[in-house]
Amino acid sequence: MINTQYPSKLLQHAVEVLSDLPGIGQRTALRLALHILRQDEDRVKDFGQAIIDLKTKVKYCKKCHNISDEDLCSICADTTRDHSTICVVQNVQDVMAIENTQQYRGIYHVLGGIISPIDGIGPADLEIQSLIDRVSTEQVSEVILALSPTTEGETTNFFITRKLSPYDVKISTIARGVSIGEELEYTDEITLGRAIVNRVETPRN
Amino acid sequence: MINTQYPSKLLQHAVEVLSDLPGIGQRTALRLALHILRQDEDRVKDFGQAIIDLKTKVKYCKKCHNISDEDLCSICADTTRDHSTICVVQNVQDVMAIENTQQYRGIYHVLGGIISPIDGIGPADLEIQSLIDRVSTEQVSEVILALSPTTEGETTNFFITRKLSPYDVKISTIARGVSIGEELEYTDEITLGRAIVNRVETPRN
């Protein structure tokens, strides 16, 4: 399908923009474009406009940098939440993943990425200074680092921990260990080793 | 992710429209939406507009019903092609597939589907009458039926063949048989049986 002759420039352009999406090849893009052609005109207009509006109208919370429709996101605006605990995450998906657990009542700070020299992403490209500013001006008692347990995540954790060291704030990292439901046999060595070293004492009744 | 709380209605709506696309679930749609958010504004506007333009501006060739930017598609408008041979196909993808073989120099007729009582698609829903009209008014010497070798395809072939019987036109069906490069061992019984019955004599030198 590489040298495909499209019967229409409009179709060709639609296939081009659709195949720019990650994980969507030319053949799938053509299938999607022809699916779109079969939809009602109103529905297709709504589709195109929803994409344009997403980019042009969405805001980022001025406090935690999460995606938001308002200047302050619904989590930061929620006065019933614990504003003294800030959970630091890489991106919006991670906020949604933690919110889905329904186990966290504090607020967030979205870095917008992690330190990755290979990708040319340094601390200045991330919302790290704004996190320091929050800790120094707001009533923050704990910063929870909830980054992925990768080299980049650990580097970012280390950098943030050092930057926060002058401040009187508790810093914690989400627990790493064997996943619930995972077979020990298939757990990788590093995770299993860490899980043994960082074992938790079982309370005696 | 079913009861996901989105941080933004704009994001939620974009995820909804994206996950309406076939084969794209909610999780993939979210990934696509966040990818779109990271693109340049001009690029996203172009994306949305390309989708809207596809639906609102595309035309269908008044002769063969293929997708087209003009009233007459580029194939029907090409005077160097053999206008006396019409290849009947189910949809636009099939035109593109046959064009890609570079083995066909005639023109097409796009039915827009095949007869499928289960899906409520009858002959009147397809461009069959317009095919009869073409055969009765244009200088057509051969109609090639290039529909999928399924029950629906065979039914449609049968219906068209009967409708064309009053006209002095050769009707042919694309060859069915073992695919090039396919192992006989893995060819299904019906295809293999047909391939033996419809064997082609090898020319002797």
PDB file of all heavy atoms in Angstrom, chain B residues 4-23:
ATOM      1  N   THR B   4     -13.540   6.165  34.450  1.00  0.00           N
ATOM      2  CA  THR B   4     -12.512   7.193  34.526  1.00  0.00           C
ATOM      3  C   THR B   4     -13.112   8.581  34.711  1.00  0.00           C
ATOM      4  O   THR B   4     -14.043   8.965  34.023  1.00  0.00           O
ATOM      5  CB  THR B   4     -11.679   7.179  33.243  1.00  0.00           C
ATOM      6  OG1 THR B   4     -11.076   5.904  33.136  1.00  0.00           O
ATOM      7  CG2 THR B   4     -10.605   8.235  33.273  1.00  0.00           C
ATOM      8  N   GLN B   5     -12.544   9.332  35.664  1.00  0.00           N
ATOM      9  CA  GLN B   5     -12.875  10.743  35.839  1.00  0.00           C
ATOM     10  C   GLN B   5     -11.870  11.541  35.043  1.00  0.00           C
ATOM     11  O   GLN B   5     -10.689  11.572  35.384  1.00  0.00           O
ATOM     12  CB  GLN B   5     -12.745  11.125  37.327  1.00  0.00           C
ATOM     13  CG  GLN B   5     -13.862  10.604  38.206  1.00  0.00           C
ATOM     14  CD  GLN B   5     -15.141  11.412  38.020  1.00  0.00           C
ATOM     15  OE1 GLN B   5     -15.078  12.623  37.863  1.00  0.00           O
ATOM     16  NE2 GLN B   5     -16.280  10.752  38.043  1.00  0.00           N
ATOM     17  N   TYR B   6     -12.320  12.200  33.958  1.00  0.00           N
ATOM     18  CA  TYR B   6     -11.390  12.994  33.169  1.00  0.00           C
ATOM     19  C   TYR B   6     -11.200  14.351  33.813  1.00  0.00           C
ATOM     20  O   TYR B   6     -12.161  14.942  34.312  1.00  0.00           O
ATOM     21  CB  TYR B   6     -11.912  13.160  31.747  1.00  0.00           C
ATOM     22  CG  TYR B   6     -11.824  11.886  30.970  1.00  0.00           C
ATOM     23  CD1 TYR B   6     -12.889  10.991  30.941  1.00  0.00           C
ATOM     24  CD2 TYR B   6     -10.660  11.549  30.304  1.00  0.00           C
ATOM     25  CE1 TYR B   6     -12.798   9.792  30.252  1.00  0.00           C
ATOM     26  CE2 TYR B   6     -10.559  10.360  29.614  1.00  0.00           C
ATOM     27  CZ  TYR B   6     -11.629   9.494  29.586  1.00  0.00           C
ATOM     28  OH  TYR B   6     -11.529   8.317  28.912  1.00  0.00           O
ATOM     29  N   PRO B   7      -9.981  14.886  33.794  1.00  0.00           N
ATOM     30  CA  PRO B   7      -9.734  16.190  34.414  1.00  0.00           C
ATOM     31  C   PRO B   7     -10.332  17.337  33.599  1.00  0.00           C
ATOM     32  O   PRO B   7     -10.370  18.463  34.079  1.00  0.00           O
ATOM     33  CB  PRO B   7      -8.207  16.284  34.445  1.00  0.00           C
ATOM     34  CG  PRO B   7      -7.725  15.367  33.379  1.00  0.00           C
ATOM     35  CD  PRO B   7      -8.750  14.271  33.259  1.00  0.00           C
ATOM     36  N   SER B   8     -10.802  17.047  32.378  1.00  0.00           N
ATOM     37  CA  SER B   8     -11.315  18.111  31.505  1.00  0.00           C
ATOM     38  C   SER B   8     -12.419  17.548  30.623  1.00  0.00           C
ATOM     39  O   SER B   8     -12.300  16.454  30.073  1.00  0.00           O
ATOM     40  CB  SER B   8     -10.156  18.636  30.651  1.00  0.00           C
ATOM     41  OG  SER B   8     -10.601  19.084  29.393  1.00  0.00           O
ATOM     42  N   LYS B   9     -13.485  18.310  30.483  1.00  0.00           N
ATOM     43  CA  LYS B   9     -14.592  17.899  29.604  1.00  0.00           C
ATOM     44  C   LYS B   9     -14.137  17.860  28.147  1.00  0.00           C
ATOM     45  O   LYS B   9     -14.593  17.041  27.357  1.00  0.00           O
ATOM     46  CB  LYS B   9     -15.765  18.874  29.733  1.00  0.00           C
ATOM     47  CG  LYS B   9     -16.462  18.824  31.088  1.00  0.00           C
ATOM     48  CD  LYS B   9     -17.793  18.077  31.005  1.00  0.00           C
ATOM     49  CE  LYS B   9     -18.478  17.975  32.342  1.00  0.00           C
ATOM     50  NZ  LYS B   9     -17.874  16.927  33.196  1.00  0.00           N
ATOM     51  N   LEU B  10     -13.242  18.791  27.771  1.00  0.00           N
ATOM     52  CA  LEU B  10     -12.730  18.832  26.399  1.00  0.00           C
ATOM     53  C   LEU B  10     -11.956  17.550  26.099  1.00  0.00           C
ATOM     54  O   LEU B  10     -12.101  16.956  25.035  1.00  0.00           O
ATOM     55  CB  LEU B  10     -11.801  20.034  26.206  1.00  0.00           C
ATOM     56  CG  LEU B  10     -12.459  21.416  26.258  1.00  0.00           C
ATOM     57  CD1 LEU B  10     -11.404  22.502  26.402  1.00  0.00           C
ATOM     58  CD2 LEU B  10     -13.297  21.645  25.008  1.00  0.00           C
ATOM     59  N   LEU B  11     -11.143  17.122  27.068  1.00  0.00           N
ATOM     60  CA  LEU B  11     -10.379  15.886  26.903  1.00  0.00           C
ATOM     61  C   LEU B  11     -11.335  14.704  26.833  1.00  0.00           C
ATOM     62  O   LEU B  11     -11.213  13.827  25.969  1.00  0.00           O
ATOM     63  CB  LEU B  11      -9.403  15.709  28.070  1.00  0.00           C
ATOM     64  CG  LEU B  11      -8.573  14.425  28.067  1.00  0.00           C
ATOM     65  CD1 LEU B  11      -7.646  14.383  26.856  1.00  0.00           C
ATOM     66  CD2 LEU B  11      -7.758  14.305  29.349  1.00  0.00           C
ATOM     67  N   GLN B  12     -12.312  14.708  27.717  1.00  0.00           N
ATOM     68  CA  GLN B  12     -13.282  13.609  27.751  1.00  0.00           C
ATOM     69  C   GLN B  12     -14.014  13.487  26.417  1.00  0.00           C
ATOM     70  O   GLN B  12     -14.164  12.395  25.877  1.00  0.00           O
ATOM     71  CB  GLN B  12     -14.285  13.856  28.878  1.00  0.00           C
ATOM     72  CG  GLN B  12     -15.297  12.725  29.026  1.00  0.00           C
ATOM     73  CD  GLN B  12     -16.184  12.892  30.241  1.00  0.00           C
ATOM     74  OE1 GLN B  12     -16.083  13.886  30.966  1.00  0.00           O
ATOM     75  NE2 GLN B  12     -17.057  11.930  30.475  1.00  0.00           N
ATOM     76  N   HIS B  13     -14.431  14.630  25.859  1.00  0.00           N
ATOM     77  CA  HIS B  13     -15.167  14.604  24.594  1.00  0.00           C
ATOM     78  C   HIS B  13     -14.267  14.122  23.455  1.00  0.00           C
ATOM     79  O   HIS B  13     -14.698  13.325  22.615  1.00  0.00           O
ATOM     80  CB  HIS B  13     -15.746  15.986  24.282  1.00  0.00           C
ATOM     81  CG  HIS B  13     -16.672  15.995  23.112  1.00  0.00           C
ATOM     82  ND1 HIS B  13     -17.699  15.085  22.972  1.00  0.00           N
ATOM     83  CD2 HIS B  13     -16.708  16.768  22.002  1.00  0.00           C
ATOM     84  CE1 HIS B  13     -18.327  15.312  21.826  1.00  0.00           C
ATOM     85  NE2 HIS B  13     -17.745  16.318  21.220  1.00  0.00           N
ATOM     86  N   ALA B  14     -13.009  14.572  23.455  1.00  0.00           N
ATOM     87  CA  ALA B  14     -12.072  14.126  22.422  1.00  0.00           C
ATOM     88  C   ALA B  14     -11.865  12.614  22.520  1.00  0.00           C
ATOM     89  O   ALA B  14     -11.833  11.912  21.502  1.00  0.00           O
ATOM     90  CB  ALA B  14     -10.744  14.868  22.556  1.00  0.00           C
ATOM     91  N   VAL B  15     -11.751  12.109  23.748  1.00  0.00           N
ATOM     92  CA  VAL B  15     -11.576  10.659  23.941  1.00  0.00           C
ATOM     93  C   VAL B  15     -12.828   9.920  23.453  1.00  0.00           C
ATOM     94  O   VAL B  15     -12.729   8.884  22.795  1.00  0.00           O
ATOM     95  CB  VAL B  15     -11.281  10.330  25.421  1.00  0.00           C
ATOM     96  CG1 VAL B  15     -11.364   8.830  25.680  1.00  0.00           C
ATOM     97  CG2 VAL B  15      -9.907  10.854  25.825  1.00  0.00           C
ATOM     98  N   GLU B  16     -13.991  10.489  23.732  1.00  0.00           N
ATOM     99  CA  GLU B  16     -15.242   9.853  23.301  1.00  0.00           C
ATOM    100  C   GLU B  16     -15.314   9.734  21.782  1.00  0.00           C
ATOM    101  O   GLU B  16     -15.626   8.670  21.249  1.00  0.00           O
ATOM    102  CB  GLU B  16     -16.452  10.654  23.810  1.00  0.00           C
ATOM    103  CG  GLU B  16     -16.789  10.376  25.266  1.00  0.00           C
ATOM    104  CD  GLU B  16     -17.726  11.428  25.871  1.00  0.00           C
ATOM    105  OE1 GLU B  16     -18.179  12.335  25.128  1.00  0.00           O
ATOM    106  OE2 GLU B  16     -17.972  11.358  27.085  1.00  0.00           O
ATOM    107  N   VAL B  17     -15.007  10.837  21.064  1.00  0.00           N
ATOM    108  CA  VAL B  17     -15.116  10.778  19.606  1.00  0.00           C
ATOM    109  C   VAL B  17     -14.050   9.859  19.020  1.00  0.00           C
ATOM    110  O   VAL B  17     -14.306   9.130  18.064  1.00  0.00           O
ATOM    111  CB  VAL B  17     -15.091  12.177  18.931  1.00  0.00           C
ATOM    112  CG1 VAL B  17     -16.251  13.026  19.405  1.00  0.00           C
ATOM    113  CG2 VAL B  17     -13.768  12.893  19.114  1.00  0.00           C
ATOM    114  N   LEU B  18     -12.855   9.871  19.609  1.00  0.00           N
ATOM    115  CA  LEU B  18     -11.788   9.004  19.097  1.00  0.00           C
ATOM    116  C   LEU B  18     -12.118   7.536  19.338  1.00  0.00           C
ATOM    117  O   LEU B  18     -11.840   6.684  18.499  1.00  0.00           O
ATOM    118  CB  LEU B  18     -10.442   9.358  19.737  1.00  0.00           C
ATOM    119  CG  LEU B  18      -9.775  10.629  19.208  1.00  0.00           C
ATOM    120  CD1 LEU B  18      -8.658  11.095  20.136  1.00  0.00           C
ATOM    121  CD2 LEU B  18      -9.228  10.412  17.807  1.00  0.00           C
ATOM    122  N   SER B  19     -12.733   7.237  20.497  1.00  0.00           N
ATOM    123  CA  SER B  19     -13.015   5.826  20.792  1.00  0.00           C
ATOM    124  C   SER B  19     -14.250   5.332  20.029  1.00  0.00           C
ATOM    125  O   SER B  19     -14.566   4.152  20.063  1.00  0.00           O
ATOM    126  CB  SER B  19     -13.158   5.580  22.297  1.00  0.00           C
ATOM    127  OG  SER B  19     -14.186   6.362  22.824  1.00  0.00           O
ATOM    128  N   ASP B  20     -14.940   6.245  19.318  1.00  0.00           N
ATOM    129  CA  ASP B  20     -16.009   5.820  18.403  1.00  0.00           C
ATOM    130  C   ASP B  20     -15.431   5.184  17.143  1.00  0.00           C
ATOM    131  O   ASP B  20     -16.143   4.478  16.420  1.00  0.00           O
ATOM    132  CB  ASP B  20     -16.865   7.024  17.974  1.00  0.00           C
ATOM    133  CG  ASP B  20     -18.008   7.280  18.945  1.00  0.00           C
ATOM    134  OD1 ASP B  20     -18.263   6.402  19.798  1.00  0.00           O
ATOM    135  OD2 ASP B  20     -18.638   8.338  18.859  1.00  0.00           O
ATOM    136  N   LEU B  21     -14.166   5.451  16.857  1.00  0.00           N
ATOM    137  CA  LEU B  21     -13.541   4.875  15.664  1.00  0.00           C
ATOM    138  C   LEU B  21     -13.397   3.364  15.848  1.00  0.00           C
ATOM    139  O   LEU B  21     -13.163   2.897  16.960  1.00  0.00           O
ATOM    140  CB  LEU B  21     -12.163   5.502  15.421  1.00  0.00           C
ATOM    141  CG  LEU B  21     -12.152   6.983  15.046  1.00  0.00           C
ATOM    142  CD1 LEU B  21     -10.725   7.508  14.988  1.00  0.00           C
ATOM    143  CD2 LEU B  21     -12.830   7.213  13.709  1.00  0.00           C
ATOM    144  N   PRO B  22     -13.537   2.593  14.763  1.00  0.00           N
ATOM    145  CA  PRO B  22     -13.474   1.136  14.908  1.00  0.00           C
ATOM    146  C   PRO B  22     -12.075   0.681  15.345  1.00  0.00           C
ATOM    147  O   PRO B  22     -11.080   1.176  14.834  1.00  0.00           O
ATOM    148  CB  PRO B  22     -13.786   0.637  13.486  1.00  0.00           C
ATOM    149  CG  PRO B  22     -13.497   1.782  12.586  1.00  0.00           C
ATOM    150  CD  PRO B  22     -13.745   3.019  13.371  1.00  0.00           C
ATOM    151  N   GLY B  23     -12.036  -0.205  16.324  1.00  0.00           N
ATOM    152  CA  GLY B  23     -10.766  -0.777  16.773  1.00  0.00           C
ATOM    153  C   GLY B  23     -10.013   0.098  17.752  1.00  0.00           C
ATOM    154  O   GLY B  23      -8.900  -0.225  18.138  1.00  0.00           O
TER     155      GLY B  23
END
